[in-house]
CSV table of all heavy atoms in Angstrom, one decimal:
chain,number,residue,atom,x,y,z
H,1,SER,N,111.0,70.4,193.0
H,1,SER,CA,112.0,71.0,192.2
H,1,SER,C,111.7,72.5,191.8
H,1,SER,O,110.5,72.7,191.6
H,1,SER,CB,112.2,70.3,190.8
H,1,SER,OG,113.0,71.0,189.9
H,2,PRO,N,112.6,73.4,191.9
H,2,PRO,CA,112.2,74.8,191.6
H,2,PRO,C,112.1,75.1,190.1
H,2,PRO,O,111.8,76.3,189.8
H,2,PRO,CB,113.3,75.6,192.3
H,2,PRO,CG,114.5,74.7,192.2
H,2,PRO,CD,114.0,73.3,192.4
H,3,ARG,N,112.5,74.2,189.3
H,3,ARG,CA,112.5,74.5,187.9
H,3,ARG,C,111.1,74.5,187.3
H,3,ARG,O,110.2,73.8,187.6
H,3,ARG,CB,113.3,73.5,187.1
H,3,ARG,CG,114.9,73.5,187.5
H,3,ARG,CD,115.6,72.5,186.6
H,3,ARG,NE,117.0,72.6,186.9
H,3,ARG,CZ,117.9,73.4,186.4
H,3,ARG,NH1,117.5,74.2,185.5
H,3,ARG,NH2,119.2,73.4,186.7
H,4,LEU,N,110.9,75.4,186.3
H,4,LEU,CA,109.7,75.4,185.6
H,4,LEU,C,109.5,74.1,184.8
H,4,LEU,O,110.4,73.7,183.9
H,4,LEU,CB,109.6,76.6,184.6
H,4,LEU,CG,108.3,77.0,184.0
H,4,LEU,CD1,107.2,77.4,185.0
H,4,LEU,CD2,108.4,78.0,182.9
H,5,ALA,N,108.4,73.4,184.9
H,5,ALA,CA,108.2,72.1,184.1
H,5,ALA,C,107.4,72.3,182.9
H,5,ALA,O,107.6,71.5,182.0
H,5,ALA,CB,107.5,71.1,185.1
H,6,GLU,N,106.6,73.4,182.8
H,6,GLU,CA,105.8,73.5,181.6
H,6,GLU,C,105.3,75.0,181.6
H,6,GLU,O,105.0,75.6,182.6
H,6,GLU,CB,104.6,72.6,181.6
H,6,GLU,CG,103.6,72.8,180.5
H,6,GLU,CD,102.3,72.0,180.8
H,6,GLU,OE1,101.6,72.2,181.7
H,6,GLU,OE2,102.1,71.0,180.0
H,7,GLY,N,105.2,75.5,180.4
H,7,GLY,CA,104.6,76.9,180.2
H,7,GLY,C,103.8,77.0,179.0
H,7,GLY,O,104.1,76.2,178.0
H,8,MET,N,102.9,77.9,179.0
H,8,MET,CA,101.9,77.9,177.8
H,8,MET,C,101.3,79.3,177.7
H,8,MET,O,101.0,79.9,178.6
H,8,MET,CB,100.8,76.9,177.9
H,8,MET,CG,99.9,76.7,176.8
H,8,MET,SD,98.8,75.3,177.0
H,8,MET,CE,97.8,75.9,178.4
H,9,LEU,N,101.1,79.7,176.4
H,9,LEU,CA,100.4,80.9,176.1
H,9,LEU,C,99.3,80.5,175.1
H,9,LEU,O,99.6,79.7,174.1
H,9,LEU,CB,101.3,82.0,175.5
H,9,LEU,CG,102.5,82.5,176.3
H,9,LEU,CD1,103.4,83.4,175.5
H,9,LEU,CD2,102.0,83.2,177.6
H,10,HIS,N,98.1,81.1,175.2
H,10,HIS,CA,97.1,80.8,174.2
H,10,HIS,C,96.2,82.0,173.9
H,10,HIS,O,96.0,82.9,174.6
H,10,HIS,CB,96.3,79.7,174.7
H,10,HIS,CG,95.2,80.0,175.7
H,10,HIS,ND1,93.9,80.4,175.4
H,10,HIS,CD2,95.3,80.2,177.1
H,10,HIS,CE1,93.3,80.7,176.4
H,10,HIS,NE2,93.9,80.6,177.5
H,11,ALA,N,95.6,81.9,172.7
H,11,ALA,CA,94.6,82.9,172.3
H,11,ALA,C,93.5,82.1,171.6
H,11,ALA,O,93.7,81.1,170.8
H,11,ALA,CB,95.2,83.9,171.4
H,12,ALA,N,92.3,82.4,171.9
H,12,ALA,CA,91.1,81.7,171.3
H,12,ALA,C,90.0,82.6,171.0
H,12,ALA,O,89.8,83.7,171.5
H,12,ALA,CB,90.6,80.6,172.3
H,13,TYR,N,89.1,82.1,170.1
H,13,TYR,CA,87.9,82.8,169.8
H,13,TYR,C,86.7,81.7,169.6
H,13,TYR,O,86.9,80.7,169.0
H,13,TYR,CB,88.0,83.5,168.5
H,13,TYR,CG,86.7,84.2,168.0
H,13,TYR,CD1,86.3,85.4,168.7
H,13,TYR,CD2,86.0,83.7,166.9
H,13,TYR,CE1,85.0,86.0,168.3
H,13,TYR,CE2,84.8,84.3,166.6
H,13,TYR,CZ,84.3,85.4,167.2
H,13,TYR,OH,83.2,86.0,166.8
H,14,SER,N,85.6,82.0,170.4
H,14,SER,CA,84.5,81.0,170.3
H,14,SER,C,83.2,81.7,169.8
H,14,SER,O,83.1,82.9,170.0
H,14,SER,CB,84.3,80.4,171.7
H,14,SER,OG,84.0,81.4,172.6
H,15,TRP,N,82.4,81.0,169.2
H,15,TRP,CA,81.1,81.5,168.6
H,15,TRP,C,80.0,80.5,168.7
H,15,TRP,O,80.4,79.3,168.5
H,15,TRP,CB,81.3,82.1,167.3
H,15,TRP,CG,81.7,81.1,166.2
H,15,TRP,CD1,80.8,80.5,165.3
H,15,TRP,CD2,83.0,80.6,165.9
H,15,TRP,NE1,81.5,79.6,164.5
H,15,TRP,CE2,82.8,79.7,164.8
H,15,TRP,CE3,84.3,80.8,166.4
H,15,TRP,CZ2,83.9,78.9,164.3
H,15,TRP,CZ3,85.3,80.1,165.9
H,15,TRP,CH2,85.1,79.2,164.9
H,16,PRO,N,78.8,80.8,168.8
H,16,PRO,CA,77.7,79.8,168.8
H,16,PRO,C,77.3,79.4,167.4
H,16,PRO,O,77.4,80.2,166.5
H,16,PRO,CB,76.5,80.6,169.5
H,16,PRO,CG,76.8,82.0,169.2
H,16,PRO,CD,78.3,82.1,169.1
H,17,LEU,N,77.0,78.1,167.3
H,17,LEU,CA,76.4,77.6,166.1
H,17,LEU,C,74.9,77.4,166.2
H,17,LEU,O,74.2,77.6,165.2
H,17,LEU,CB,77.0,76.2,165.8
H,17,LEU,CG,78.5,76.2,165.5
H,17,LEU,CD1,79.0,74.8,165.3
H,17,LEU,CD2,78.8,77.0,164.3
H,18,SER,N,74.4,77.2,167.4
H,18,SER,CA,73.0,77.0,167.7
H,18,SER,C,72.7,77.2,169.2
H,18,SER,O,73.7,77.6,169.9
H,18,SER,CB,72.5,75.7,167.2
H,18,SER,OG,73.1,74.6,168.0
H,19,ASP,N,71.6,76.8,169.6
H,19,ASP,CA,71.3,77.0,171.1
H,19,ASP,C,72.2,75.9,171.9
H,19,ASP,O,72.3,76.1,173.0
H,19,ASP,CB,69.8,76.8,171.3
H,19,ASP,CG,69.0,77.9,170.8
H,19,ASP,OD1,69.6,79.0,170.6
H,19,ASP,OD2,67.8,77.6,170.6
H,20,THR,N,72.6,74.9,171.2
H,20,THR,CA,73.3,73.8,172.0
H,20,THR,C,74.7,73.6,171.5
H,20,THR,O,75.5,72.9,172.2
H,20,THR,CB,72.5,72.4,171.8
H,20,THR,OG1,72.3,72.2,170.3
H,20,THR,CG2,71.1,72.5,172.4
H,21,TRP,N,75.1,74.1,170.4
H,21,TRP,CA,76.4,73.9,169.9
H,21,TRP,C,77.2,75.2,169.8
H,21,TRP,O,76.6,76.3,169.4
H,21,TRP,CB,76.4,73.3,168.4
H,21,TRP,CG,76.0,71.8,168.5
H,21,TRP,CD1,74.9,71.2,168.3
H,21,TRP,CD2,77.0,70.7,168.5
H,21,TRP,NE1,74.9,69.8,168.4
H,21,TRP,CE2,76.2,69.5,168.5
H,21,TRP,CE3,78.4,70.6,168.7
H,21,TRP,CZ2,76.8,68.2,168.6
H,21,TRP,CZ3,78.9,69.3,168.7
H,21,TRP,CH2,78.2,68.2,168.7
H,22,GLN,N,78.5,75.1,170.0
H,22,GLN,CA,79.4,76.2,169.8
H,22,GLN,C,80.7,75.7,169.3
H,22,GLN,O,81.0,74.5,169.4
H,22,GLN,CB,79.5,77.1,171.1
H,22,GLN,CG,80.3,76.4,172.2
H,22,GLN,CD,80.7,77.3,173.3
H,22,GLN,OE1,81.1,78.4,173.1
H,22,GLN,NE2,80.5,76.8,174.5
H,23,MET,N,81.5,76.6,168.7
H,23,MET,CA,82.8,76.3,168.2
H,23,MET,C,83.9,77.2,168.8
H,23,MET,O,83.5,78.3,169.2
H,23,MET,CB,82.9,76.4,166.6
H,23,MET,CG,82.1,75.4,165.9
H,23,MET,SD,82.5,75.4,164.2
H,23,MET,CE,84.2,74.7,164.1
H,24,GLN,N,85.1,76.7,168.9
H,24,GLN,CA,86.2,77.4,169.4
H,24,GLN,C,87.4,77.2,168.5
H,24,GLN,O,87.8,76.0,168.3
H,24,GLN,CB,86.5,77.1,170.8
H,24,GLN,CG,87.7,77.9,171.4
H,24,GLN,CD,87.9,77.8,172.8
H,24,GLN,OE1,87.1,78.3,173.6
H,24,GLN,NE2,88.9,77.1,173.2
H,25,ALA,N,88.1,78.2,168.1
H,25,ALA,CA,89.3,78.1,167.3
H,25,ALA,C,90.4,78.7,168.2
H,25,ALA,O,90.2,79.8,168.8
H,25,ALA,CB,89.3,78.9,166.0
H,26,SER,N,91.6,78.1,168.4
H,26,SER,CA,92.6,78.7,169.2
H,26,SER,C,93.9,78.4,168.7
H,26,SER,O,94.2,77.5,167.9
H,26,SER,CB,92.5,78.0,170.6
H,26,SER,OG,92.6,76.6,170.5
H,27,LEU,N,94.9,79.3,169.1
H,27,LEU,CA,96.4,79.1,168.8
H,27,LEU,C,97.0,79.0,170.1
H,27,LEU,O,96.7,79.7,171.1
H,27,LEU,CB,96.8,80.3,168.0
H,27,LEU,CG,96.3,80.5,166.6
H,27,LEU,CD1,96.8,81.8,166.0
H,27,LEU,CD2,96.7,79.3,165.8
H,28,LEU,N,98.1,78.2,170.2
H,28,LEU,CA,98.8,77.9,171.5
H,28,LEU,C,100.3,77.8,171.3
H,28,LEU,O,100.7,77.2,170.3
H,28,LEU,CB,98.2,76.7,172.0
H,28,LEU,CG,98.6,76.1,173.3
H,28,LEU,CD1,97.6,75.5,174.1
H,28,LEU,CD2,99.7,75.1,173.1
H,29,TYR,N,101.0,78.4,172.2
H,29,TYR,CA,102.5,78.2,172.2
H,29,TYR,C,102.8,77.4,173.5
H,29,TYR,O,102.3,77.9,174.6
H,29,TYR,CB,103.2,79.5,172.3
H,29,TYR,CG,104.7,79.4,172.6
H,29,TYR,CD1,105.5,79.1,171.6
H,29,TYR,CD2,105.2,79.6,173.9
H,29,TYR,CE1,106.9,78.9,171.8
H,29,TYR,CE2,106.6,79.4,174.1
H,29,TYR,CZ,107.4,79.1,173.0
H,29,TYR,OH,108.7,78.9,173.3
H,30,TYR,N,103.4,76.3,173.4
H,30,TYR,CA,103.7,75.4,174.5
H,30,TYR,C,105.1,75.1,174.6
H,30,TYR,O,105.8,74.8,173.6
H,30,TYR,CB,102.8,74.0,174.2
H,30,TYR,CG,103.1,73.0,175.3
H,30,TYR,CD1,102.3,73.0,176.5
H,30,TYR,CD2,103.8,71.9,175.0
H,30,TYR,CE1,102.6,72.0,177.4
H,30,TYR,CE2,104.0,70.9,175.9
H,30,TYR,CZ,103.4,71.0,177.1
H,30,TYR,OH,103.6,70.0,178.1
H,31,ALA,N,105.7,75.0,175.8
H,31,ALA,CA,107.1,74.8,176.0
H,31,ALA,C,107.4,74.0,177.3
H,31,ALA,O,106.8,74.2,178.3
H,31,ALA,CB,107.8,76.1,176.1
H,32,VAL,N,108.3,73.1,177.1
H,32,VAL,CA,108.8,72.3,178.2
H,32,VAL,C,110.3,72.6,178.3
H,32,VAL,O,111.0,72.2,177.4
H,32,VAL,CB,108.6,70.7,178.1
H,32,VAL,CG1,109.3,70.0,179.1
H,32,VAL,CG2,107.1,70.4,178.0
H,33,PRO,N,110.8,73.3,179.3
H,33,PRO,CA,112.2,73.6,179.4
H,33,PRO,C,113.1,72.3,179.5
H,33,PRO,O,112.6,71.2,179.7
H,33,PRO,CB,112.4,74.5,180.6
H,33,PRO,CG,110.9,75.0,180.9
H,33,PRO,CD,110.1,73.9,180.4
H,34,ARG,N,114.4,72.6,179.4
H,34,ARG,CA,115.4,71.5,179.5
H,34,ARG,C,115.3,70.8,180.9
H,34,ARG,O,115.2,71.4,181.9
H,34,ARG,CB,116.8,72.0,179.3
H,34,ARG,CG,117.9,70.9,179.4
H,34,ARG,CD,119.2,71.6,179.2
H,34,ARG,NE,119.4,72.2,177.9
H,34,ARG,CZ,119.7,71.5,176.8
H,34,ARG,NH1,120.1,70.3,176.9
H,34,ARG,NH2,119.9,72.2,175.7
H,35,ARG,N,115.3,69.4,180.9
H,35,ARG,CA,115.3,68.6,182.1
H,35,ARG,C,116.6,67.7,182.0
H,35,ARG,O,116.6,66.7,181.2
H,35,ARG,CB,114.0,67.8,182.2
H,35,ARG,CG,112.8,68.6,182.7
H,35,ARG,CD,111.7,67.6,182.8
H,35,ARG,NE,111.9,66.4,183.5
H,35,ARG,CZ,111.7,66.4,184.8
H,35,ARG,NH1,111.3,67.5,185.5
H,35,ARG,NH2,111.9,65.3,185.5
H,36,GLY,N,117.5,68.0,182.9
H,36,GLY,CA,118.8,67.2,182.8
H,36,GLY,C,119.3,67.2,181.5
H,36,GLY,O,119.7,68.2,180.9
H,37,ARG,N,119.6,66.0,180.9
H,37,ARG,CA,120.2,65.9,179.5
H,37,ARG,C,119.2,66.0,178.4
H,37,ARG,O,119.6,66.0,177.3
H,37,ARG,CB,121.0,64.6,179.4
H,37,ARG,CG,122.2,64.6,180.4
H,37,ARG,CD,122.9,63.2,180.2
H,37,ARG,NE,122.1,62.1,180.6
H,37,ARG,CZ,122.4,60.8,180.4
H,37,ARG,NH1,123.5,60.5,179.9
H,37,ARG,NH2,121.6,59.9,180.8
H,38,ALA,N,117.9,66.1,178.8
H,38,ALA,CA,116.8,66.2,177.8
H,38,ALA,C,116.8,67.5,177.1
H,38,ALA,O,117.1,68.6,177.7
H,38,ALA,CB,115.5,65.9,178.4
H,39,ARG,N,116.5,67.5,175.9
H,39,ARG,CA,116.4,68.8,175.1
H,39,ARG,C,115.1,69.6,175.5
H,39,ARG,O,114.1,69.0,175.9
H,39,ARG,CB,116.3,68.5,173.6
H,39,ARG,CG,117.4,67.8,173.0
H,39,ARG,CD,117.2,67.4,171.6
H,39,ARG,NE,118.2,66.7,171.0
H,39,ARG,CZ,118.2,66.2,169.7
H,39,ARG,NH1,117.1,66.4,169.0
H,39,ARG,NH2,119.2,65.5,169.3
H,40,PRO,N,115.2,70.9,175.5
H,40,PRO,CA,113.9,71.6,175.7
H,40,PRO,C,113.0,71.3,174.5
H,40,PRO,O,113.4,70.9,173.3
H,40,PRO,CB,114.4,73.1,175.7
H,40,PRO,CG,115.6,73.1,174.9
H,40,PRO,CD,116.3,71.8,175.2
H,41,TYR,N,111.7,71.4,174.7
H,41,TYR,CA,110.7,71.1,173.7
H,41,TYR,C,109.7,72.3,173.6
H,41,TYR,O,109.2,72.7,174.6
H,41,TYR,CB,110.0,69.8,174.0
H,41,TYR,CG,108.8,69.5,173.1
H,41,TYR,CD1,109.0,69.1,171.8
H,41,TYR,CD2,107.5,69.6,173.6
H,41,TYR,CE1,107.9,68.9,170.9
H,41,TYR,CE2,106.4,69.4,172.7
H,41,TYR,CZ,106.7,69.0,171.4
H,41,TYR,OH,105.7,68.7,170.6
H,42,ARG,N,109.5,72.7,172.4
H,42,ARG,CA,108.6,73.8,172.1
H,42,ARG,C,107.7,73.4,170.9
H,42,ARG,O,108.1,72.8,170.0
H,42,ARG,CB,109.3,75.1,171.8
H,42,ARG,CG,110.2,75.6,173.0
H,42,ARG,CD,110.9,76.9,172.5
H,42,ARG,NE,111.8,76.6,171.5
H,42,ARG,CZ,112.1,77.4,170.4
H,42,ARG,NH1,111.4,78.6,170.3
H,42,ARG,NH2,113.0,77.1,169.5
H,43,ARG,N,106.5,73.9,170.9
H,43,ARG,CA,105.6,73.7,169.7
H,43,ARG,C,104.6,74.8,169.6
H,43,ARG,O,104.2,75.5,170.6
H,43,ARG,CB,104.9,72.4,169.8
H,43,ARG,CG,103.7,72.3,170.8
H,43,ARG,CD,102.9,71.1,170.5
H,43,ARG,NE,101.8,71.0,171.5
H,43,ARG,CZ,101.7,70.2,172.6
H,43,ARG,NH1,102.6,69.4,172.9
H,43,ARG,NH2,100.5,70.2,173.3
H,44,ALA,N,104.1,75.0,168.4
H,44,ALA,CA,102.9,75.9,168.1
H,44,ALA,C,101.8,75.0,167.8
H,44,ALA,O,102.0,73.9,167.2
H,44,ALA,CB,103.2,76.9,167.0
């Protein structure tokens, strides 16, 4: 199918906690376009 099935944009920031641990915080925009009679779906 030539239609886009899924799309996503994201931004993230990561930082170390120790020599073995790190953390990451991220924001994401996610979208599934309309498929047939199904509604398009978007989320943050």
